[in-house]
Amino acid sequence: MDTILKVKIGEAMEKFVWDEKYEIGVEIVDRAHAKLFRITNKLQEISEDALTNQAAYKEGIKYLEAYSVTHFTEEEAYMRSIGYSGYADHKRIHDNFRNKTLISLKRDLELSGYSASAVQRFVGIMNNWLKEHIMLEDQAIVGKAVRQKKKDLSTQIDIISRTVHRAVKDVLQAETKLVSDEYKGQSIGNGYYCCQYYNMGGGVTLQLLLGVEDILFLRGIERIPGIRKREMTKQDILKVFEQLFQKMGRLFKVETEPEFGMENLLSRDGFRIQFMKGCPLSLLFGTRSGALVFCYRNWREKR
């Protein structure tokens, strides 16, 4: 598939530089956050060096994990000391990241043999999660941000995860693992993006958003008859997304399949714009081949 024409929608990973906007005014917390930034940026530098060996990756990631856990413990102790009302929810986020996200990311690294691309993906997710967590959750501890209490979507997450798993297995021939149930818009690298709208009746519109890392997406492209003999087209890309949406749409008991055309394809920026409108459920999945993002939102049309 050397002749495949990729639609470049991804973006290069950026480094996060510590500055005053990330400070919450608590020395022990700010100092730890600044150090976490330095550690993740150092890991990125290591992954950009083609001569770096697997041992260096493992040691750096092990140190990052250990320091993150230590920081969570210190931050939780501070929240308890001031009687922070959002402590339980905040600790739940820490536990989810430590017990689910980190474990899934490390498994992805191990399966890839600690490849440079997998390390970069790991660092990108870590950096974006840290940045968003500081600005929304940590600054809420000292009243610099207002934390919006989320609805309990645990039941929906389990059902949707199984549906996504089946769809990706059928279309892309890959096994998925839920990495995070709090995806916050971090880059998944070079990828392909698409959306679909469903009329749910009663003036309610449902929108599904999908983002698929290019390496994973090409698994689906390879199943299209004759694709190896010609260049990939946008129509090929659309066909794979259409198959995914057809399977995922069944989750919402959609009786009539909506029209699906080129206007459904999104650029990375287009995906981000739609995502920023607010999604009550945003999931990040990992596979051996790459990452996948699933988001949905719905609204009632004004009359």
PDB file of all heavy atoms in Angstrom, residues 61-98:
ATOM      1  N   ILE A  61       9.143   6.016  31.757  1.00  0.00           N
ATOM      2  CA  ILE A  61       7.708   5.851  31.986  1.00  0.00           C
ATOM      3  C   ILE A  61       7.443   5.317  33.388  1.00  0.00           C
ATOM      4  O   ILE A  61       6.480   5.714  34.047  1.00  0.00           O
ATOM      5  CB  ILE A  61       7.116   4.918  30.906  1.00  0.00           C
ATOM      6  CG1 ILE A  61       7.117   5.660  29.558  1.00  0.00           C
ATOM      7  CG2 ILE A  61       5.701   4.483  31.273  1.00  0.00           C
ATOM      8  CD1 ILE A  61       6.840   4.795  28.376  1.00  0.00           C
ATOM      9  N   LYS A  62       8.304   4.443  33.860  1.00  0.00           N
ATOM     10  CA  LYS A  62       8.175   3.935  35.228  1.00  0.00           C
ATOM     11  C   LYS A  62       8.301   5.079  36.238  1.00  0.00           C
ATOM     12  O   LYS A  62       7.544   5.156  37.210  1.00  0.00           O
ATOM     13  CB  LYS A  62       9.251   2.875  35.478  1.00  0.00           C
ATOM     14  CG  LYS A  62       9.186   2.237  36.853  1.00  0.00           C
ATOM     15  CD  LYS A  62      10.273   1.176  37.004  1.00  0.00           C
ATOM     16  CE  LYS A  62      10.229   0.543  38.381  1.00  0.00           C
ATOM     17  NZ  LYS A  62      11.298  -0.492  38.537  1.00  0.00           N
ATOM     18  N   TYR A  63       9.238   5.976  35.993  1.00  0.00           N
ATOM     19  CA  TYR A  63       9.440   7.115  36.887  1.00  0.00           C
ATOM     20  C   TYR A  63       8.239   8.052  36.830  1.00  0.00           C
ATOM     21  O   TYR A  63       7.775   8.551  37.864  1.00  0.00           O
ATOM     22  CB  TYR A  63      10.702   7.868  36.483  1.00  0.00           C
ATOM     23  CG  TYR A  63      11.020   9.059  37.367  1.00  0.00           C
ATOM     24  CD1 TYR A  63      11.381   8.882  38.698  1.00  0.00           C
ATOM     25  CD2 TYR A  63      10.941  10.357  36.876  1.00  0.00           C
ATOM     26  CE1 TYR A  63      11.673   9.956  39.524  1.00  0.00           C
ATOM     27  CE2 TYR A  63      11.216  11.446  37.686  1.00  0.00           C
ATOM     28  CZ  TYR A  63      11.587  11.243  39.003  1.00  0.00           C
ATOM     29  OH  TYR A  63      11.860  12.318  39.814  1.00  0.00           O
ATOM     30  N   LEU A  64       7.715   8.285  35.626  1.00  0.00           N
ATOM     31  CA  LEU A  64       6.543   9.154  35.462  1.00  0.00           C
ATOM     32  C   LEU A  64       5.346   8.590  36.205  1.00  0.00           C
ATOM     33  O   LEU A  64       4.634   9.316  36.904  1.00  0.00           O
ATOM     34  CB  LEU A  64       6.215   9.294  33.972  1.00  0.00           C
ATOM     35  CG  LEU A  64       4.923  10.055  33.629  1.00  0.00           C
ATOM     36  CD1 LEU A  64       4.988  11.494  34.132  1.00  0.00           C
ATOM     37  CD2 LEU A  64       4.677  10.035  32.122  1.00  0.00           C
ATOM     38  N   GLU A  65       5.114   7.297  36.083  1.00  0.00           N
ATOM     39  CA  GLU A  65       3.988   6.667  36.764  1.00  0.00           C
ATOM     40  C   GLU A  65       4.131   6.790  38.279  1.00  0.00           C
ATOM     41  O   GLU A  65       3.183   7.154  38.983  1.00  0.00           O
ATOM     42  CB  GLU A  65       3.896   5.196  36.373  1.00  0.00           C
ATOM     43  CG  GLU A  65       2.755   4.471  37.060  1.00  0.00           C
ATOM     44  CD  GLU A  65       2.728   2.987  36.743  1.00  0.00           C
ATOM     45  OE1 GLU A  65       3.749   2.471  36.246  1.00  0.00           O
ATOM     46  OE2 GLU A  65       1.707   2.343  37.019  1.00  0.00           O
ATOM     47  N   ALA A  66       5.322   6.487  38.795  1.00  0.00           N
ATOM     48  CA  ALA A  66       5.554   6.541  40.240  1.00  0.00           C
ATOM     49  C   ALA A  66       5.359   7.953  40.779  1.00  0.00           C
ATOM     50  O   ALA A  66       4.733   8.153  41.829  1.00  0.00           O
ATOM     51  CB  ALA A  66       6.965   6.037  40.555  1.00  0.00           C
ATOM     52  N   TYR A  67       5.868   8.937  40.046  1.00  0.00           N
ATOM     53  CA  TYR A  67       5.749  10.316  40.512  1.00  0.00           C
ATOM     54  C   TYR A  67       4.302  10.783  40.446  1.00  0.00           C
ATOM     55  O   TYR A  67       3.835  11.531  41.322  1.00  0.00           O
ATOM     56  CB  TYR A  67       6.642  11.251  39.699  1.00  0.00           C
ATOM     57  CG  TYR A  67       6.766  12.615  40.331  1.00  0.00           C
ATOM     58  CD1 TYR A  67       7.634  12.832  41.398  1.00  0.00           C
ATOM     59  CD2 TYR A  67       5.985  13.681  39.886  1.00  0.00           C
ATOM     60  CE1 TYR A  67       7.730  14.068  42.015  1.00  0.00           C
ATOM     61  CE2 TYR A  67       6.072  14.927  40.491  1.00  0.00           C
ATOM     62  CZ  TYR A  67       6.941  15.119  41.556  1.00  0.00           C
ATOM     63  OH  TYR A  67       7.016  16.349  42.159  1.00  0.00           O
ATOM     64  N   SER A  68       3.552  10.349  39.420  1.00  0.00           N
ATOM     65  CA  SER A  68       2.145  10.727  39.294  1.00  0.00           C
ATOM     66  C   SER A  68       1.344  10.213  40.481  1.00  0.00           C
ATOM     67  O   SER A  68       0.528  10.932  41.062  1.00  0.00           O
ATOM     68  CB  SER A  68       1.553  10.165  37.991  1.00  0.00           C
ATOM     69  OG  SER A  68       2.185  10.695  36.859  1.00  0.00           O
ATOM     70  N   VAL A  69       1.570   8.958  40.847  1.00  0.00           N
ATOM     71  CA  VAL A  69       0.850   8.356  41.971  1.00  0.00           C
ATOM     72  C   VAL A  69       1.183   9.086  43.271  1.00  0.00           C
ATOM     73  O   VAL A  69       0.307   9.359  44.099  1.00  0.00           O
ATOM     74  CB  VAL A  69       1.190   6.853  42.087  1.00  0.00           C
ATOM     75  CG1 VAL A  69       0.593   6.272  43.368  1.00  0.00           C
ATOM     76  CG2 VAL A  69       0.665   6.101  40.865  1.00  0.00           C
ATOM     77  N   THR A  70       2.463   9.425  43.468  1.00  0.00           N
ATOM     78  CA  THR A  70       2.878  10.169  44.661  1.00  0.00           C
ATOM     79  C   THR A  70       2.184  11.529  44.695  1.00  0.00           C
ATOM     80  O   THR A  70       1.688  11.968  45.750  1.00  0.00           O
ATOM     81  CB  THR A  70       4.403  10.375  44.669  1.00  0.00           C
ATOM     82  OG1 THR A  70       5.047   9.108  44.720  1.00  0.00           O
ATOM     83  CG2 THR A  70       4.827  11.216  45.870  1.00  0.00           C
ATOM     84  N   HIS A  71       2.132  12.197  43.548  1.00  0.00           N
ATOM     85  CA  HIS A  71       1.486  13.502  43.475  1.00  0.00           C
ATOM     86  C   HIS A  71       0.000  13.396  43.804  1.00  0.00           C
ATOM     87  O   HIS A  71      -0.537  14.228  44.546  1.00  0.00           O
ATOM     88  CB  HIS A  71       1.664  14.103  42.084  1.00  0.00           C
ATOM     89  CG  HIS A  71       0.711  15.222  41.799  1.00  0.00           C
ATOM     90  ND1 HIS A  71       0.671  16.375  42.576  1.00  0.00           N
ATOM     91  CD2 HIS A  71      -0.260  15.377  40.846  1.00  0.00           C
ATOM     92  CE1 HIS A  71      -0.269  17.176  42.111  1.00  0.00           C
ATOM     93  NE2 HIS A  71      -0.851  16.591  41.069  1.00  0.00           N
ATOM     94  N   PHE A  72      -0.696  12.392  43.267  1.00  0.00           N
ATOM     95  CA  PHE A  72      -2.118  12.219  43.555  1.00  0.00           C
ATOM     96  C   PHE A  72      -2.342  12.085  45.061  1.00  0.00           C
ATOM     97  O   PHE A  72      -3.268  12.673  45.627  1.00  0.00           O
ATOM     98  CB  PHE A  72      -2.662  10.974  42.854  1.00  0.00           C
ATOM     99  CG  PHE A  72      -2.807  11.122  41.356  1.00  0.00           C
ATOM    100  CD1 PHE A  72      -2.989  10.002  40.564  1.00  0.00           C
ATOM    101  CD2 PHE A  72      -2.773  12.365  40.749  1.00  0.00           C
ATOM    102  CE1 PHE A  72      -3.126  10.122  39.184  1.00  0.00           C
ATOM    103  CE2 PHE A  72      -2.914  12.502  39.374  1.00  0.00           C
ATOM    104  CZ  PHE A  72      -3.099  11.376  38.595  1.00  0.00           C
ATOM    105  N   THR A  73      -1.492  11.301  45.708  1.00  0.00           N
ATOM    106  CA  THR A  73      -1.617  11.090  47.155  1.00  0.00           C
ATOM    107  C   THR A  73      -1.454  12.403  47.916  1.00  0.00           C
ATOM    108  O   THR A  73      -2.224  12.709  48.835  1.00  0.00           O
ATOM    109  CB  THR A  73      -0.567  10.074  47.641  1.00  0.00           C
ATOM    110  OG1 THR A  73      -0.756   8.826  46.954  1.00  0.00           O
ATOM    111  CG2 THR A  73      -0.681   9.843  49.143  1.00  0.00           C
ATOM    112  N   GLU A  74      -0.459  13.202  47.532  1.00  0.00           N
ATOM    113  CA  GLU A  74      -0.215  14.489  48.194  1.00  0.00           C
ATOM    114  C   GLU A  74      -1.365  15.464  47.939  1.00  0.00           C
ATOM    115  O   GLU A  74      -1.804  16.179  48.862  1.00  0.00           O
ATOM    116  CB  GLU A  74       1.097  15.088  47.697  1.00  0.00           C
ATOM    117  CG  GLU A  74       2.333  14.305  48.115  1.00  0.00           C
ATOM    118  CD  GLU A  74       3.608  14.858  47.498  1.00  0.00           C
ATOM    119  OE1 GLU A  74       3.528  15.642  46.514  1.00  0.00           O
ATOM    120  OE2 GLU A  74       4.705  14.527  48.001  1.00  0.00           O
ATOM    121  N   GLU A  75      -1.851  15.493  46.720  1.00  0.00           N
ATOM    122  CA  GLU A  75      -2.941  16.412  46.381  1.00  0.00           C
ATOM    123  C   GLU A  75      -4.222  16.021  47.107  1.00  0.00           C
ATOM    124  O   GLU A  75      -4.968  16.888  47.590  1.00  0.00           O
ATOM    125  CB  GLU A  75      -3.168  16.392  44.867  1.00  0.00           C
ATOM    126  CG  GLU A  75      -4.125  17.465  44.374  1.00  0.00           C
ATOM    127  CD  GLU A  75      -4.174  17.515  42.859  1.00  0.00           C
ATOM    128  OE1 GLU A  75      -4.973  16.768  42.260  1.00  0.00           O
ATOM    129  OE2 GLU A  75      -3.393  18.287  42.263  1.00  0.00           O
ATOM    130  N   GLU A  76      -4.494  14.744  47.212  1.00  0.00           N
ATOM    131  CA  GLU A  76      -5.686  14.274  47.927  1.00  0.00           C
ATOM    132  C   GLU A  76      -5.597  14.605  49.415  1.00  0.00           C
ATOM    133  O   GLU A  76      -6.597  14.956  50.046  1.00  0.00           O
ATOM    134  CB  GLU A  76      -5.867  12.771  47.703  1.00  0.00           C
ATOM    135  CG  GLU A  76      -6.314  12.442  46.285  1.00  0.00           C
ATOM    136  CD  GLU A  76      -6.123  10.982  45.923  1.00  0.00           C
ATOM    137  OE1 GLU A  76      -5.848  10.166  46.845  1.00  0.00           O
ATOM    138  OE2 GLU A  76      -6.234  10.639  44.725  1.00  0.00           O
ATOM    139  N   ALA A  77      -4.401  14.502  49.973  1.00  0.00           N
ATOM    140  CA  ALA A  77      -4.210  14.856  51.381  1.00  0.00           C
ATOM    141  C   ALA A  77      -4.497  16.339  51.590  1.00  0.00           C
ATOM    142  O   ALA A  77      -5.116  16.734  52.593  1.00  0.00           O
ATOM    143  CB  ALA A  77      -2.787  14.527  51.814  1.00  0.00           C
ATOM    144  N   TYR A  78      -4.060  17.177  50.651  1.00  0.00           N
ATOM    145  CA  TYR A  78      -4.321  18.614  50.761  1.00  0.00           C
ATOM    146  C   TYR A  78      -5.821  18.890  50.691  1.00  0.00           C
ATOM    147  O   TYR A  78      -6.347  19.690  51.478  1.00  0.00           O
ATOM    148  CB  TYR A  78      -3.600  19.378  49.651  1.00  0.00           C
ATOM    149  CG  TYR A  78      -3.956  20.856  49.648  1.00  0.00           C
ATOM    150  CD1 TYR A  78      -3.409  21.716  50.599  1.00  0.00           C
ATOM    151  CD2 TYR A  78      -4.870  21.364  48.730  1.00  0.00           C
ATOM    152  CE1 TYR A  78      -3.768  23.063  50.632  1.00  0.00           C
ATOM    153  CE2 TYR A  78      -5.230  22.702  48.752  1.00  0.00           C
ATOM    154  CZ  TYR A  78      -4.676  23.545  49.702  1.00  0.00           C
ATOM    155  OH  TYR A  78      -5.029  24.872  49.744  1.00  0.00           O
ATOM    156  N   MET A  79      -6.521  18.236  49.762  1.00  0.00           N
ATOM    157  CA  MET A  79      -7.967  18.453  49.637  1.00  0.00           C
ATOM    158  C   MET A  79      -8.686  18.079  50.928  1.00  0.00           C
ATOM    159  O   MET A  79      -9.606  18.776  51.363  1.00  0.00           O
ATOM    160  CB  MET A  79      -8.520  17.642  48.462  1.00  0.00           C
ATOM    161  CG  MET A  79      -8.154  18.210  47.096  1.00  0.00           C
ATOM    162  SD  MET A  79      -9.025  17.393  45.726  1.00  0.00           S
ATOM    163  CE  MET A  79      -8.120  15.842  45.624  1.00  0.00           C
ATOM    164  N   ARG A  80      -8.271  16.975  51.549  1.00  0.00           N
ATOM    165  CA  ARG A  80      -8.896  16.573  52.814  1.00  0.00           C
ATOM    166  C   ARG A  80      -8.598  17.587  53.914  1.00  0.00           C
ATOM    167  O   ARG A  80      -9.452  17.884  54.755  1.00  0.00           O
ATOM    168  CB  ARG A  80      -8.396  15.186  53.233  1.00  0.00           C
ATOM    169  CG  ARG A  80      -8.881  14.052  52.349  1.00  0.00           C
ATOM    170  CD  ARG A  80      -8.644  12.695  53.022  1.00  0.00           C
ATOM    171  NE  ARG A  80      -7.221  12.477  53.304  1.00  0.00           N
ATOM    172  CZ  ARG A  80      -6.364  11.899  52.460  1.00  0.00           C
ATOM    173  NH1 ARG A  80      -6.783  11.513  51.261  1.00  0.00           N
ATOM    174  NH2 ARG A  80      -5.101  11.724  52.797  1.00  0.00           N
ATOM    175  N   SER A  81      -7.395  18.139  53.896  1.00  0.00           N
ATOM    176  CA  SER A  81      -6.995  19.076  54.959  1.00  0.00           C
ATOM    177  C   SER A  81      -7.812  20.364  54.940  1.00  0.00           C
ATOM    178  O   SER A  81      -7.988  21.004  55.978  1.00  0.00           O
ATOM    179  CB  SER A  81      -5.504  19.409  54.842  1.00  0.00           C
ATOM    180  OG  SER A  81      -5.247  20.286  53.749  1.00  0.00           O
ATOM    181  N   ILE A  82      -8.310  20.743  53.772  1.00  0.00           N
ATOM    182  CA  ILE A  82      -9.110  21.980  53.682  1.00  0.00           C
ATOM    183  C   ILE A  82     -10.607  21.684  53.588  1.00  0.00           C
ATOM    184  O   ILE A  82     -11.424  22.596  53.447  1.00  0.00           O
ATOM    185  CB  ILE A  82      -8.688  22.841  52.469  1.00  0.00           C
ATOM    186  CG1 ILE A  82      -8.945  22.096  51.162  1.00  0.00           C
ATOM    187  CG2 ILE A  82      -7.217  23.251  52.585  1.00  0.00           C
ATOM    188  CD1 ILE A  82      -8.752  22.972  49.916  1.00  0.00           C
ATOM    189  N   GLY A  83     -10.958  20.401  53.666  1.00  0.00           N
ATOM    190  CA  GLY A  83     -12.360  20.020  53.607  1.00  0.00           C
ATOM    191  C   GLY A  83     -12.995  20.314  52.261  1.00  0.00           C
ATOM    192  O   GLY A  83     -14.154  20.737  52.193  1.00  0.00           O
ATOM    193  N   TYR A  84     -12.267  20.069  51.167  1.00  0.00           N
ATOM    194  CA  TYR A  84     -12.769  20.372  49.826  1.00  0.00           C
ATOM    195  C   TYR A  84     -14.013  19.535  49.506  1.00  0.00           C
ATOM    196  O   TYR A  84     -13.998  18.308  49.594  1.00  0.00           O
ATOM    197  CB  TYR A  84     -11.670  20.095  48.802  1.00  0.00           C
ATOM    198  CG  TYR A  84     -12.080  20.289  47.368  1.00  0.00           C
ATOM    199  CD1 TYR A  84     -12.720  21.463  46.954  1.00  0.00           C
ATOM    200  CD2 TYR A  84     -11.823  19.310  46.415  1.00  0.00           C
ATOM    201  CE1 TYR A  84     -13.083  21.648  45.634  1.00  0.00           C
ATOM    202  CE2 TYR A  84     -12.179  19.493  45.083  1.00  0.00           C
ATOM    203  CZ  TYR A  84     -12.817  20.660  44.699  1.00  0.00           C
ATOM    204  OH  TYR A  84     -13.188  20.842  43.392  1.00  0.00           O
ATOM    205  N   SER A  85     -15.107  20.193  49.131  1.00  0.00           N
ATOM    206  CA  SER A  85     -16.383  19.511  48.907  1.00  0.00           C
ATOM    207  C   SER A  85     -16.363  18.587  47.690  1.00  0.00           C
ATOM    208  O   SER A  85     -17.151  17.653  47.601  1.00  0.00           O
ATOM    209  CB  SER A  85     -17.504  20.548  48.736  1.00  0.00           C
ATOM    210  OG  SER A  85     -17.256  21.380  47.612  1.00  0.00           O
ATOM    211  N   GLY A  86     -15.473  18.869  46.737  1.00  0.00           N
ATOM    212  CA  GLY A  86     -15.413  18.029  45.534  1.00  0.00           C
ATOM    213  C   GLY A  86     -14.399  16.908  45.641  1.00  0.00           C
ATOM    214  O   GLY A  86     -14.029  16.308  44.624  1.00  0.00           O
ATOM    215  N   TYR A  87     -13.970  16.595  46.856  1.00  0.00           N
ATOM    216  CA  TYR A  87     -12.911  15.603  47.051  1.00  0.00           C
ATOM    217  C   TYR A  87     -13.251  14.236  46.454  1.00  0.00           C
ATOM    218  O   TYR A  87     -12.431  13.641  45.742  1.00  0.00           O
ATOM    219  CB  TYR A  87     -12.617  15.430  48.550  1.00  0.00           C
ATOM    220  CG  TYR A  87     -11.700  14.271  48.859  1.00  0.00           C
ATOM    221  CD1 TYR A  87     -10.323  14.369  48.656  1.00  0.00           C
ATOM    222  CD2 TYR A  87     -12.216  13.053  49.325  1.00  0.00           C
ATOM    223  CE1 TYR A  87      -9.482  13.300  48.923  1.00  0.00           C
ATOM    224  CE2 TYR A  87     -11.375  11.980  49.591  1.00  0.00           C
ATOM    225  CZ  TYR A  87     -10.013  12.107  49.385  1.00  0.00           C
ATOM    226  OH  TYR A  87      -9.180  11.043  49.638  1.00  0.00           O
ATOM    227  N   ALA A  88     -14.458  13.729  46.724  1.00  0.00           N
ATOM    228  CA  ALA A  88     -14.820  12.385  46.274  1.00  0.00           C
ATOM    229  C   ALA A  88     -14.758  12.262  44.753  1.00  0.00           C
ATOM    230  O   ALA A  88     -14.200  11.294  44.212  1.00  0.00           O
ATOM    231  CB  ALA A  88     -16.216  12.020  46.777  1.00  0.00           C
ATOM    232  N   ASP A  89     -15.317  13.250  44.047  1.00  0.00           N
ATOM    233  CA  ASP A  89     -15.300  13.220  42.581  1.00  0.00           C
ATOM    234  C   ASP A  89     -13.880  13.361  42.049  1.00  0.00           C
ATOM    235  O   ASP A  89     -13.495  12.703  41.072  1.00  0.00           O
ATOM    236  CB  ASP A  89     -16.172  14.336  42.008  1.00  0.00           C
ATOM    237  CG  ASP A  89     -17.658  14.046  42.176  1.00  0.00           C
ATOM    238  OD1 ASP A  89     -18.013  12.866  42.335  1.00  0.00           O
ATOM    239  OD2 ASP A  89     -18.460  15.000  42.151  1.00  0.00           O
ATOM    240  N   HIS A  90     -13.101  14.229  42.686  1.00  0.00           N
ATOM    241  CA  HIS A  90     -11.720  14.452  42.246  1.00  0.00           C
ATOM    242  C   HIS A  90     -10.889  13.180  42.431  1.00  0.00           C
ATOM    243  O   HIS A  90     -10.112  12.802  41.545  1.00  0.00           O
ATOM    244  CB  HIS A  90     -11.102  15.603  43.036  1.00  0.00           C
ATOM    245  CG  HIS A  90      -9.889  16.191  42.409  1.00  0.00           C
ATOM    246  ND1 HIS A  90      -9.765  17.523  42.136  1.00  0.00           N
ATOM    247  CD2 HIS A  90      -8.722  15.623  41.990  1.00  0.00           C
ATOM    248  CE1 HIS A  90      -8.585  17.761  41.572  1.00  0.00           C
ATOM    249  NE2 HIS A  90      -7.934  16.612  41.482  1.00  0.00           N
ATOM    250  N   LYS A  91     -11.058  12.519  43.556  1.00  0.00           N
ATOM    251  CA  LYS A  91     -10.326  11.280  43.810  1.00  0.00           C
ATOM    252  C   LYS A  91     -10.739  10.196  42.813  1.00  0.00           C
ATOM    253  O   LYS A  91      -9.906   9.393  42.361  1.00  0.00           O
ATOM    254  CB  LYS A  91     -10.562  10.783  45.235  1.00  0.00           C
ATOM    255  CG  LYS A  91      -9.691   9.565  45.596  1.00  0.00           C
ATOM    256  CD  LYS A  91      -9.914   9.135  47.028  1.00  0.00           C
ATOM    257  CE  LYS A  91      -8.931   8.031  47.416  1.00  0.00           C
ATOM    258  NZ  LYS A  91      -8.993   6.869  46.505  1.00  0.00           N
ATOM    259  N   ARG A  92     -12.014  10.194  42.447  1.00  0.00           N
ATOM    260  CA  ARG A  92     -12.486   9.208  41.472  1.00  0.00           C
ATOM    261  C   ARG A  92     -11.759   9.384  40.138  1.00  0.00           C
ATOM    262  O   ARG A  92     -11.399   8.406  39.474  1.00  0.00           O
ATOM    263  CB  ARG A  92     -13.994   9.344  41.261  1.00  0.00           C
ATOM    264  CG  ARG A  92     -14.556   8.377  40.225  1.00  0.00           C
ATOM    265  CD  ARG A  92     -16.029   8.651  39.963  1.00  0.00           C
ATOM    266  NE  ARG A  92     -16.221  10.001  39.456  1.00  0.00           N
ATOM    267  CZ  ARG A  92     -15.996  10.365  38.190  1.00  0.00           C
ATOM    268  NH1 ARG A  92     -15.547   9.484  37.320  1.00  0.00           N
ATOM    269  NH2 ARG A  92     -16.212  11.604  37.800  1.00  0.00           N
ATOM    270  N   ILE A  93     -11.525  10.648  39.753  1.00  0.00           N
ATOM    271  CA  ILE A  93     -10.810  10.930  38.503  1.00  0.00           C
ATOM    272  C   ILE A  93      -9.370  10.430  38.593  1.00  0.00           C
ATOM    273  O   ILE A  93      -8.846   9.826  37.659  1.00  0.00           O
ATOM    274  CB  ILE A  93     -10.843  12.436  38.198  1.00  0.00           C
ATOM    275  CG1 ILE A  93     -12.280  12.875  37.883  1.00  0.00           C
ATOM    276  CG2 ILE A  93      -9.928  12.773  37.022  1.00  0.00           C
ATOM    277  CD1 ILE A  93     -12.452  14.379  37.756  1.00  0.00           C
ATOM    278  N   HIS A  94      -8.737  10.672  39.757  1.00  0.00           N
ATOM    279  CA  HIS A  94      -7.379  10.167  39.968  1.00  0.00           C
ATOM    280  C   HIS A  94      -7.350   8.642  39.872  1.00  0.00           C
ATOM    281  O   HIS A  94      -6.485   8.060  39.197  1.00  0.00           O
ATOM    282  CB  HIS A  94      -6.871  10.575  41.353  1.00  0.00           C
ATOM    283  CG  HIS A  94      -6.441  11.998  41.449  1.00  0.00           C
ATOM    284  ND1 HIS A  94      -6.042  12.566  42.651  1.00  0.00           N
ATOM    285  CD2 HIS A  94      -6.343  12.987  40.522  1.00  0.00           C
ATOM    286  CE1 HIS A  94      -5.716  13.832  42.443  1.00  0.00           C
ATOM    287  NE2 HIS A  94      -5.897  14.106  41.149  1.00  0.00           N
ATOM    288  N   ASP A  95      -8.306   7.988  40.543  1.00  0.00           N
ATOM    289  CA  ASP A  95      -8.353   6.523  40.555  1.00  0.00           C
ATOM    290  C   ASP A  95      -8.569   5.969  39.155  1.00  0.00           C
ATOM    291  O   ASP A  95      -7.954   4.965  38.768  1.00  0.00           O
ATOM    292  CB  ASP A  95      -9.475   6.038  41.485  1.00  0.00           C
ATOM    293  CG  ASP A  95      -9.187   6.319  42.951  1.00  0.00           C
ATOM    294  OD1 ASP A  95      -8.021   6.593  43.291  1.00  0.00           O
ATOM    295  OD2 ASP A  95     -10.141   6.270  43.755  1.00  0.00           O
ATOM    296  N   ASN A  96      -9.457   6.622  38.379  1.00  0.00           N
ATOM    297  CA  ASN A  96      -9.744   6.172  37.019  1.00  0.00           C
ATOM    298  C   ASN A  96      -8.489   6.268  36.150  1.00  0.00           C
ATOM    299  O   ASN A  96      -8.174   5.360  35.369  1.00  0.00           O
ATOM    300  CB  ASN A  96     -10.860   7.021  36.411  1.00  0.00           C
ATOM    301  CG  ASN A  96     -11.198   6.602  34.986  1.00  0.00           C
ATOM    302  OD1 ASN A  96     -11.802   5.562  34.754  1.00  0.00           O
ATOM    303  ND2 ASN A  96     -10.812   7.420  34.027  1.00  0.00           N
ATOM    304  N   PHE A  97      -7.758   7.367  36.316  1.00  0.00           N
ATOM    305  CA  PHE A  97      -6.550   7.546  35.513  1.00  0.00           C
ATOM    306  C   PHE A  97      -5.481   6.530  35.896  1.00  0.00           C
ATOM    307  O   PHE A  97      -4.833   5.934  35.026  1.00  0.00           O
ATOM    308  CB  PHE A  97      -6.004   8.963  35.697  1.00  0.00           C
ATOM    309  CG  PHE A  97      -4.857   9.272  34.780  1.00  0.00           C
ATOM    310  CD1 PHE A  97      -5.076   9.592  33.452  1.00  0.00           C
ATOM    311  CD2 PHE A  97      -3.550   9.223  35.241  1.00  0.00           C
ATOM    312  CE1 PHE A  97      -4.014   9.863  32.596  1.00  0.00           C
ATOM    313  CE2 PHE A  97      -2.484   9.487  34.393  1.00  0.00           C
ATOM    314  CZ  PHE A  97      -2.720   9.814  33.069  1.00  0.00           C
ATOM    315  N   ARG A  98      -5.319   6.335  37.207  1.00  0.00           N
ATOM    316  CA  ARG A  98      -4.277   5.419  37.693  1.00  0.00           C
ATOM    317  C   ARG A  98      -4.630   3.959  37.381  1.00  0.00           C
ATOM    318  O   ARG A  98      -3.764   3.187  36.936  1.00  0.00           O
ATOM    319  CB  ARG A  98      -4.104   5.598  39.202  1.00  0.00           C
ATOM    320  CG  ARG A  98      -3.056   4.662  39.821  1.00  0.00           C
ATOM    321  CD  ARG A  98      -2.859   4.966  41.293  1.00  0.00           C
ATOM    322  NE  ARG A  98      -4.098   4.850  42.033  1.00  0.00           N
ATOM    323  CZ  ARG A  98      -4.687   5.892  42.641  1.00  0.00           C
ATOM    324  NH1 ARG A  98      -4.153   7.093  42.575  1.00  0.00           N
ATOM    325  NH2 ARG A  98      -5.826   5.727  43.301  1.00  0.00           N
TER     326      ARG A  98
END
